[in-house]
Amino acid sequence: MLRALHDEYPRRIHAQIIASPEGGAGHPEPNEASVACGRHALAAASDARRAGEPLVVLLSGGASAMLAVPADGLTLDDKVQATRALLGSGLPIAAINGVRKHLSAIKGGRLAARAGRCVTLAISDVHAPIEDDPAVIGSGPTVADQSTFADAVHALRDAGVLDVMPSAVREHLVRGEASEREETIKDGDPRLARSEFFVVGTRHDAMDGIVSEARARGYQVALIGSPTLGEARNAAGAFIAEARQRCTSLSPPLCVVASGETTVRIDGPVGLGGRNQEFALAAAEDLSSFGACALASVGTDGIDGPTEAAGAIVDSTTIARARGIGLDAATALRAHDSHSFFRALGDLVMTGPTGTNVGDVQIFLAGSDDPAYTGEM
């Protein structure tokens, strides 16, 4: 994003990368570099205000972790532990970011409030409940926030993770609910009067690229417009059911494309994985009786959970190949150990960080020998 902006306005901007994985900022958990990046961003906002110049923010998903300044009374360790609990809670991203904003000194409009005049160009990985909601992308450091401390407390309580939060986090949120902490920046606040926000990239751009490539390779393409959401293992079943339905109405070879962002609820000791790898693993059993077909679920940022993989590929032979080397898909799924499963099979998708993030994409391919086309399903 920075390179593109600099190419467009080479003599009109003072450009710097403040937060990125290449710079050491943590993702999906914040780290010391994340805090340094956050403080750097606040300093840049103050500099822009003093100079009477706009702060241009190039924002994408991942900024919630890579741009972090703990609220007064909280530490980085508090934020890390809270993030771990949130990522394992099964809460949707809007609720997770609602909590993050109330533990932060930069999110929830605070960065723009510091700058005075601010222009944000955002790439969105937010798909629900309001698609491409500026207040959720990167936890909304440059826009007003409608969520409250009470919303954060209720979300954590409903997910059953309030009691596992660090004591300082619980105290901070409860005191905020009692109006003893300053709320995030709300609509109508004069500090945001000169703040503008533009969404310049979404999951639909990623799907458009996939559709174009698939058609160029001779596939009939079916596009699922609604976002892929919910628990990864359940979303996988719904996706496969939709793909089966599409197979009955389109001639082969067929490509079904979807996108969105699922969640994984951690409910005990776990292995290693990510939501895309778990999605693929959950689909493997269904594909074993599907004929010649394959499914990939991949994060567009090239990072799936705390792993080096972007996602994984399954096909109609996955279950049989796994059994041949002593692996059981159901056991791996119960243990949330999808990464070990796919690493042993050689079926991880490895792209490295892509420099962008519009959520996850799912691609299903079926060939002409699929029983779906002969009515045998």
Side-chain angles (χ1 to χ4, degrees):
M1 293 176 77
L2 182 60
R3 285 193 297 269
L5 185 67
H6 188 268
D7 289 345
E8 188 70 20
Y9 303 105
R11 292 179 294 277
R12 295 180 59 190
I13 62 171
H14 172 65
Q16 55 183 312
I17 295 178
I18 290 179
S20 72
E22 293 83 356
H27 186 274
E29 297 176 3
N31 58 13
E32 293 285 357
S34 302
V35 175
C37 289
R39 298 196 187 285
H40 190 180
L42 288 172
S46 296
D47 291 343
R49 178 187 284 274
R50 282 191 294 269
E53 297 175 347
L55 178 72
V56 179
V57 178
L58 308 180
L59 185 68
S60 72
S64 294
M66 293 189 292
L67 201 65
V69 180
D72 288 345
L74 300 180
T75 66
L76 172 60
D77 187 59
D78 291 330
K79 296 264 290 183
V80 169
Q81 291 185 51
T83 300
R84 288 174 183 168
L86 285 168
L87 294 178
S89 68
L91 284 168
I93 190 62
I96 288 175
N97 285 1
V99 175
R100 283 166 154 166
K101 284 183 275 193
H102 288 87
L103 304 178
S104 174
I106 191 171
K107 299 175 173 65
R110 293 183 174 98
L111 178 61
R114 177 75 67 92
R117 185 182 175 197
C118 181
V119 177
T120 303
L121 306 176
I123 291 177
S124 173
D125 66 337
V126 173
H127 316 306
I130 301 172
E131 190 157 11
D132 306 326
D133 185 353
V136 180
I137 302 170
S139 296
T142 61
V143 295
D145 173 43
Q146 298 308 304
S147 71
T148 64
F149 276 102
D151 293 331
V153 171
H154 294 163
L156 293 175
R157 185 176 289 125
D158 290 346
V161 294
L162 180 61
D163 290 341
V164 304
M165 288 285 167
S167 58
V169 167
R170 291 198 306 273
E171 179 184 0
H172 178 80
L173 293 174
V174 171
R175 292 188 68 177
E177 188 179 22
S179 300
E180 297 175 12
R181 292 284 188 270
E182 183 181 0
E183 261 291 357
T184 49
I185 312 298
K186 304 305 181 187
D187 276 335
D189 192 303
R191 291 173 291 179
L192 298 185
R194 296 198 298 164
S195 181
E196 298 179 278
F197 192 101
F198 304 94
V199 175
V200 298
T202 73
R203 69 184 182 94
H204 298 284
D205 296 300
M207 290 197 295
D208 288 346
I210 295 167
V211 169
S212 177
E213 183 66 21
R215 285 176 175 160
R217 292 170 179 262
Y219 285 91
Q220 296 289 319
V221 181
L223 197 64
I224 299 176
S226 57
T228 304
L229 302 171
E231 184 76 12
R233 62 185 64 196
N234 298 330
F239 176 80
I240 293 300
E242 179 71 16
R244 285 178 180 270
Q245 180 62 35
R246 299 302 179 98
C247 285
T248 64
S249 58
L250 291 174
S251 58
L254 172 68
C255 173
V256 181
V257 183
S259 64
E261 186 170 282
T262 61
T263 58
V264 175
R265 182 182 294 273
I266 303 300
D267 47 13
V270 298
L272 184 63
R275 60 181 181 262
N276 286 285
Q277 293 162 76
E278 183 143 324
F279 184 104
L281 181 57
E285 187 68 50
D286 283 340
L287 293 191
S288 64
S289 59
F290 206 103
C293 62
L295 163 70
S297 186
V298 181
T300 57
D301 60 354
I303 304 167
D304 187 35
T307 76
E308 76 281 11
I313 296 173
V314 289
D315 60 28
S316 50
T317 73
T318 297
I319 295 297
R321 288 187 291 115
R323 288 173 179 163
I325 58 173
L327 294 176
D328 180 69
T331 299
L333 189 60
R334 284 194 298 270
H336 301 290
D337 198 24
S338 53
H339 186 75
S340 300
F341 181 91
F342 288 117
R343 182 175 57 195
L345 289 175
D347 290 342
L348 292 169
V349 177
M350 309 288 287
T351 64
T354 64
T356 190
N357 183 17
V358 292
D360 306 326
V361 293
Q362 292 81 39
I363 305 170
F364 172 85
L365 304 178
S368 58
D369 60 341
D370 192 311
Y373 299 110
T374 60
E376 297 177 10
M377 286 195 301

